[in-house]
Amino acid sequence: MGTELKLSVLGFGNMGQAIVKGLINKGILPVHSLLIYDPDEEKQKVARELGINVCSAPELLIKENKVILIAVKPQMLKEALSPFKNDFMKDIVIVSIVAGVPIQFFKQFFNKPLLKVIRTMPNTPALVGCGITGISLSSECSEEEVKIAEVIFSSVGEVVFVPEEQIDIVTAVSGSGPAYFFYLCEALISAGEALGLSRDIAYKLAVHTLYGAGALVKSTGESPEVLRMRVTSKGGTTEKAIKYFQSKDFETIVKEAVRSAYLRAKELGKQNLSD
């Protein structure tokens, strides 16, 4: 980027805080480059403790900085954006982490058909700096906005760029994905308990297995299939369990579950655009 990024943040909940803390802790942005607005006094206190300037009114966010991160809940979005509606300038860049809200919503809401919008789908591991964010940019965005998106979201993990028509797939795979792994972890804990382990031991075994398996895939760069085959000895315990999964058509169950999440994401996007 030609000049130092200055970022305004509307909404300072868990994800907003994770991104801001990532930017500060990694030395990507100094605190004086950040402005925050959140009506919640406790969240304001958190921001001030980090040394960040807190705006007294939301409209001040766009008077100082040209890039604004929208980090509010979908049901609060219109109310949160209303103070800007008549003062929004065309050179403002919107970076949205609001789930299910398409780029076109912002263009229509502000009546700015050429508005630059960066739509993103981070996931909850961003809270510990291990997330992955899917990013889509409106056609008005340039290489400058690509760099802005990379700077912001690399602070909390990895990034991938996809066309907006694929962002609902990202939502279904990685946005909702942590819950799938948590669900599997729950089932492993329950299975261990059913066989006689204490909950504490079953929990520790399942959680560390989940964590270690993910780390192994990431660090080796090998496919999950190769790693699975390496663990699966012929005639052994792992093979027995895998064959049971296969007999229940586990892969189809996962595909259909992800597809149902994808279809729901598309429905929500249409609802937000028509509301």
Side-chain angles (χ1 to χ4, degrees), residues 93-151:
V93 177
I94 284 183
V95 183
S96 170
I97 66 169
V98 186
V101 179
I103 287 170
Q104 190 61 27
F105 166 84
F106 295 100
K107 293 185 174 189
Q108 289 181 358
F109 185 86
F110 291 111
N111 193 26
K112 296 283 190 296
L114 300 180
L115 186 65
K116 292 182 177 182
V117 182
I118 302 170
R119 179 183 176 186
T120 71
M121 184 67 236
N123 62 7
T124 55
L127 300 176
V128 291
C130 296
I132 186 160
T133 302
I135 300 171
S136 300
L137 297 94
S138 66
S139 59
E140 296 77 18
C141 292
S142 66
E143 189 61 31
E144 182 77 5
E145 285 70 48
V146 172
K147 290 177 182 176
I148 288 170
E150 286 178 332
V151 163

Side-chain angles (χ1 to χ4, degrees), residues 24 57 186 271:
I24 295 170
E186 286 179 63
Q271 286 177 17

Side-chain angles (χ1 to χ4, degrees), residues 13-275:
N14 289 338
M15 193 62 74
Q17 289 183 33
I19 292 166
V20 166
K21 288 176 182 177
L23 290 167
I24 295 170
N25 293 339
K26 291 187 177 181
I28 297 171
L29 285 184
V31 290
H32 66 74
S33 295
L34 293 157
L35 281 177
I36 302 291
Y37 177 79
D38 193 295
D40 187 285
E41 291 184 2
E42 284 300 312
K43 291 170 185 172
Q44 292 176 17
K45 182 180 176 183
V46 172
R48 290 192 177 98
E49 287 173 350
L50 291 169
I52 302 168
N53 287 325
V54 176
C55 292
S56 57
E59 54 268 31
L60 297 176
L61 291 173
I62 61 170
K63 294 190 182 302
E64 297 291 331
N65 297 339
K66 299 300 183 187
V67 181
I68 179 167
L69 174 66
I70 311 295
V72 300
K73 295 183 184 300
Q75 62 269 28
M76 301 294 294
L77 182 59
K78 287 187 176 180
E79 181 183 348
L81 294 180
S82 291
F84 309 110
K85 193 161 189 180
N86 297 323
D87 298 321
F88 214 79
M89 295 168 284
K90 65 179 181 180
D91 58 342
I92 297 289
V93 177
I94 284 183
V95 183
S96 170
I97 66 169
V98 186
V101 179
I103 287 170
Q104 190 61 27
F105 166 84
F106 295 100
K107 293 185 174 189
Q108 289 181 358
F109 185 86
F110 291 111
N111 193 26
K112 296 283 190 296
L114 300 180
L115 186 65
K116 292 182 177 182
V117 182
I118 302 170
R119 179 183 176 186
T120 71
M121 184 67 236
N123 62 7
T124 55
L127 300 176
V128 291
C130 296
I132 186 160
T133 302
I135 300 171
S136 300
L137 297 94
S138 66
S139 59
E140 296 77 18
C141 292
S142 66
E143 189 61 31
E144 182 77 5
E145 285 70 48
V146 172
K147 290 177 182 176
I148 288 170
E150 286 178 332
V151 163
I152 293 171
F153 293 99
S154 63
S155 70
V156 289
E158 302 291 329
V159 300
V160 294
F161 287 87
V162 296
E164 191 182 17
E165 58 265 27
Q166 293 184 357
I167 201 75
D168 291 326
I169 306 174
V170 173
T171 299
V173 173
S174 63
S176 299
Y180 312 153
F181 288 101
F182 299 150
Y183 193 32
L184 177 59
C185 195
E186 286 179 63
L188 274 174
I189 293 167
S190 180
E193 285 186 283
L195 290 170
L197 291 174
S198 70
R199 180 162 184 84
D200 285 349
I201 289 176
Y203 176 90
K204 191 169 185 177
L205 289 170
V207 169
H208 281 267
T209 299
L210 176 67
Y211 179 84
L216 191 61
V217 174
K218 190 173 187 301
S219 64
T220 63
E222 294 186 286
S223 74
E225 182 182 12
V226 166
L227 293 171
R228 172 177 61 81
M229 295 297 291
R230 198 169 289 158
V231 181
T232 310
S233 303
K234 190 162 183 64
T237 58
T238 307
E239 184 186 57
K240 190 73 173 176
I242 294 295
K243 283 186 173 180
Y244 187 83
F245 282 136
Q246 291 171 339
S247 75
K248 298 297 182 181
D249 212 359
F250 180 73
E251 186 174 345
T252 298
I253 290 171
V254 173
K255 285 180 178 177
E256 289 303 313
V258 173
R259 178 173 172 76
S260 67
Y262 162 71
L263 293 174
R264 181 56 178 156
K266 288 184 75 65
E267 287 174 6
L268 291 172
K270 289 177 182 177
Q271 286 177 17
N272 285 319
L273 199 54
S274 61
D275 285 347

